Each structure stands twice: as structure tokens, then as C-alpha cells.
Amino acid sequence: MPNAPTQPYPASKRETLPSATHATPGAGLLFLREDELRAAQDMLFFALRDLNGPADTILAELKFGRAHHRCLHWIGRKPGLNVGELLSILGITKQSLTRVLGPLIHDGYVAQTPGVKDRRQRLLTLTEKGATLERQLFETQREKLLTAYRDAGGPAVEGFKRVMRGLIGPGGQAYIETPKPARVT
């Protein structure tokens, strides 16, 4: 008679080494081998390249890059966020943000207003032009995400979300848990 599994899920539900004792969570799981972790790293690289490629083309026509896309994305997701919060989300220096945010403001994609309580604070929102561009960039990625999610199915999507959350540090967790819908100023 075979030994009872020591994990709550039967081995048929996971990829495991046949001789694994499962003394610790994840022990013996095939996807934890170095070659599998490197394959995951490779897949992330190609997924990001292919997901961002069409958006990169649109951005290049405007003489913008991925940093501009990231700013548009987060300003659209959190209208009224301040510059300090955007710096924290993006994990870049103030000097780098100035190089990216300046053209977005100058070209009319982002509006900057002083804070209500603290006039030194700079609150950022997308203009109608900025919201249109952000939506266009999202649409280039939407179909690829939609197809991948549909092909994978619900349980796989939930597993993917757990893995992605595990890759995100504590600073990013707060931003992915409660995003606000985009607003136009």
C-alpha cells in the first residue's frame, strides 16, 4: 500500500519528484530546480518583451519610452497621486522622474496641480489626451492578456496571480490590492 501524502494535496495535483518526502513546503517540487527557475526567468523576459512590444511602437512614434508608459499607467490608475508617491511606485530617482514627467506635462498628457492642504505638493492626473494615450497603450496589451487568461483557465490564472504577488515586494503590494479606476480631469 502506498504511503499517504504528507502534504494536503495529492501528488497527482502537483509536479513532484517520486522520492520526495515533503519535509518542508515546496521541497521536492520539480519547478523549484534551478533549470526550472531559469526557465521561469526566461519566460518572464519574453512575456514582457512581447507584451510591451506593440506599446513600445506607439511610444516611439511620440518619442517616449517605457518609463513614460509606466508613469501614464500609474497616474491613470491612481488619479491625484503626488510626485513622491509616484517616485515610490516606480522606484526611480527624482532626477529620472523629472526627465520623464516633464515631457508628459509639457505635451499635455499629464496635469499637475498643487495639493489642497499642502500647496507644495504636486498632484498628478491624466488629461483627456493622456487618458486616450494610456487607453491606447492598454488596448495593445489587453488582447494578449485576455487570450492568455482564457487559454490558461481560472485555476491557472489564480496560481499565476499568487506567483506574481510573491515576486512583488511589500512596497508594491499596497498598490496592486486596491487600484482606483482611471479618471479624466
Side-chain angles (χ1 to χ4, degrees), residues 35-125:
D35 61 327
E36 289 295 327
L37 294 173
R38 288 214 177 256
Q41 189 179 35
D42 295 347
M43 286 187 280
L44 281 169
F45 170 83
F46 285 113
L48 287 171
R49 182 198 69 183
D50 295 346
L51 186 66
N52 288 321
D56 288 347
T57 302
I58 294 167
L59 291 162
E61 290 170 5
L62 299 169
K63 301 204 179 350
F64 290 155
R66 287 187 184 171
H68 298 91
H69 187 181
R70 289 188 289 270
C71 283
L72 291 167
H73 171 83
W74 284 108
I75 295 168
R77 294 292 280 166
K78 295 184 64 63
L81 91 154
N82 64 52
V83 170
E85 192 175 11
L86 184 58
L87 282 168
S88 175
I89 291 169
L90 298 177
I92 61 175
T93 65
K94 203 173 201 176
Q95 184 178 3
S96 294
L97 181 61
T98 299
R99 281 194 302 266
V100 172
L101 198 53
L104 290 173
I105 293 168
H106 180 267
D107 294 347
Y109 294 97
V110 173
Q112 180 177 254
T113 57
V116 176
K117 294 179 183 173
D118 183 351
R119 306 287 293 162
R120 295 171 298 175
Q121 200 175 41
R122 294 181 294 154
L123 305 180
L124 304 169
T125 54

